Amino acid sequence: MTMTSDDVVAVLGPADKMFVAEIIATGATQAELAEALAWASNDEALIGEGRHLPTGRVAALVDLLRSDEEELD
């Protein structure tokens, strides 16, 4: 099921409306967003656990989250 703005904010906290719209446009689920946030926050730990690198919508979300993070720096 496609996320709503409230779903995105529940995972990320307060976020810019355009950024929220970009995330929703991926067609990802709230679970995929939560997984992408985990990867964007600490990929070394997940790789250390033996997880495979994200693909598909999760990978797209990781890219979005990292690009947003870079813009804030």
Side-chain angles (χ1 to χ4, degrees):
M1 183 164 101
T2 304
M3 289 186 286
T4 65
S5 297
D6 290 339
D7 295 332
V8 174
V9 171
V11 174
L12 300 181
D16 176 78
K17 288 181 182 183
M18 289 297 293
F19 184 61
V20 170
E22 286 181 74
I23 290 172
I24 292 170
T26 66
T29 65
Q30 197 172 15
E32 288 170 325
L33 178 58
E35 181 180 350
L37 181 59
W39 275 104
S41 299
N42 194 0
D43 62 351
E44 291 179 19
L46 296 174
I47 291 170
E49 290 177 2
R51 290 195 178 183
H52 295 287
L53 293 175
T55 60
R57 291 187 295 222
V58 174
L61 288 167
V62 170
D63 289 343
L64 276 173
L65 292 169
R66 287 186 175 157
S67 69
D68 185 61
E69 193 174 89
E70 289 172 4
E71 288 178 13
L72 295 176
D73 289 341

